Amino acid sequence: MSDYVPFAEPTLDEAEIDAVTRVLRSGWVSTGVEADSFEKEFANYVGTRHAVALNSCTAALHLALLALGIGPGDEVIVPTITFTATAAAVVHAGATPVLADVEPVHLTLDPEQVEKLIGKRTKAVVPVHFTGRMASPGPLRELCDQHGIALLEDAAHTLPASDGPYRAGQVGDVSAFSFFATKPITTAEGGMLCTDDSRIAEEARVWSLHGLSRGAVNRYRPGARAAYDVDRPGFKYNMSDVQAALGRVQLAKADRLHAARTTIAETYLRELDGLPNLRLPAPDTADNLSSWYLFPVQLRLENMQADRDAFRDELHELGVGTSVHFVPLHHFSWYAENVVRDGQRFPVADAAAGRLLSLPIFPAMDDGAVERVVTAVRKAHEGTRS
Ligand SMILES: Cc1ncc(COP(=O)(O)O)c(C=O)c1O
């Protein structure tokens, strides 16, 4: 199946291979000068004063919550349409996630629902820029300021994205990015915590490396003092220089990778327009730009002979890989049993849940691959119309 279009693939070439090889030959592969440079370059790109390189976005979310002082007895509001890591990080911090429904246009956290859920124990709100579209930054920032609670952006899907004056990563008191293999830029696995607050950055840095007062590179340097203090039982969340070298090359290409994703999204929006049983995502506007990490379509199942999984199988048979983002958290057993409140309902998320399907959208897709996806979707759509 050489013509098979996979759901996602990283865009890596000789520059990444050279950068990684250079670090492998350098004599230092753990956290060091590459991670330090990556942090500075990333902070500059996102527009925050600090960036802390970590081994995942999950780690960034966890440490952001700890640095904000959130723990047992506290509540944190998260959207039900997200990956489990968003809410699991709240549990890791010892706090209680509170699920909120999403708004119907972009399926991002609904500020009206958030307002209803804010109570005395609420300490933070975690909007997810689902698929790369910013989650109501203005209203959520205002709401958090009014109530004196923290805003933590789950920016796993964005690099870059903006909504009016807001840019992903700059709106929250702290934000968390992912460099997982399929993300807008990758370090194979990795994440970044961004903030303007020096105290949050410093706290996250100490938590990320066992609670040590001095990182390894500063202990092993010729002539450096080996002594360190441990002021807490920290975690092992630091990013290696091998990953950081990869990340630096990817970051330098971020705008080009974003432009390629945007072009594919525009092609899908144009070529798939008018298919009656397919609801396409909202397009960019002059001042609202998605990272186009994902291209989610919704199937109008009431008019179709197939369900979402049958439609996916059909696309697979036609040579196109797809995925589902996301099964709402309240549909999973652990969240249903431990997090959903009595009588709580999520009508918007429930209406979208069985219909969502993500099409391939990654920068390495050439015109032929995009065309094959368009043709396959049209054909599957035709075959499943009732
Ligand atoms: C919305 C969201 N948040 C957090 C994460 C976790 O990212 P990571 O795999 O880097 O920990 C993901 C991963 O896919 C995600 O989609």
Side-chain angles (χ1 to χ4, degrees), residues 55-61 81-87 127-131 154-157 176-183 188-192 293-294 325-326:
N55 61 8
S56 71
C57 177
T58 308
L61 291 165
I81 293 202
T82 186
F83 185 56
T84 181
T86 316
V128 175
H129 303 318
F130 175 56
T131 76
D154 182 335
H157 295 184
F177 290 83
S178 174
F179 309 132
F180 174 66
T182 62
K183 291 293 191 292
E189 297 282 358
M192 193 74 83
Y293 165 57
L294 296 173
H325 298 87
F326 286 105

Side-chain angles (χ1 to χ4, degrees), residues 27-237:
W28 186 265
V29 291
S30 183
T31 308
V33 289
E34 289 292 326
D36 191 49
S37 299
F38 186 33
E39 288 177 347
K40 291 192 170 84
E41 289 158 9
F42 198 83
N44 186 44
Y45 185 89
V46 169
T48 52
R49 285 181 55 216
H50 307 282
V52 181
L54 300 167
N55 61 8
S56 71
C57 177
T58 308
L61 291 165
H62 182 192
L63 298 192
L65 291 161
L66 294 185
L68 288 165
I70 289 167
D74 298 334
E75 291 178 357
V76 176
I77 300 174
V78 304
T80 189
I81 293 202
T82 186
F83 185 56
T84 181
T86 316
V90 177
V91 180
H92 297 329
T96 304
V98 175
L99 300 182
D101 205 358
V102 294
E103 47 73 38
V105 179
H106 302 302
L107 303 181
T108 57
L109 189 60
D110 183 348
E112 280 183 27
Q113 299 304 319
V114 171
E115 190 159 21
K116 287 186 196 153
L117 291 166
I118 290 177
K120 279 208 264 316
R121 294 168 61 189
T122 310
K123 290 288 156 39
V125 175
V126 188
V128 175
H129 303 318
F130 175 56
T131 76
R133 181 70 66 190
M134 281 191 80
S136 305
L140 287 174
R141 182 71 266 179
E142 205 178 301
L143 206 53
C144 287
D145 289 345
Q146 262 171 22
H147 291 268
I149 55 184
L151 183 67
L152 162 56
E153 286 175 76
D154 182 335
H157 295 184
T158 52
L159 195 81
S162 56
D163 180 358
Y166 302 103
R167 202 178 146 89
Q170 283 181 353
V171 189
D173 301 283
V174 50
S175 56
F177 290 83
S178 174
F179 309 132
F180 174 66
T182 62
K183 291 293 191 292
I185 70 165
T186 186
T187 58
E189 297 282 358
M192 193 74 83
L193 177 150
C194 290
T195 183
D196 282 335
D197 186 325
S198 321
R199 194 200 55 79
I200 290 179
E202 190 45 35
E203 277 290 290
R205 201 176 290 288
V206 175
W207 275 118
S208 76
L209 201 64
H210 304 293
L212 304 190
S213 59
R214 190 177 293 140
V217 74
N218 295 324
R219 288 184 278 120
Y220 287 73
R221 250 190 353 224
R225 297 209 335 263
Y228 57 83
D229 187 27
V230 178
D231 71 355
R232 71 197 74 187
F235 300 92
K236 186 68 166 75
Y237 282 168

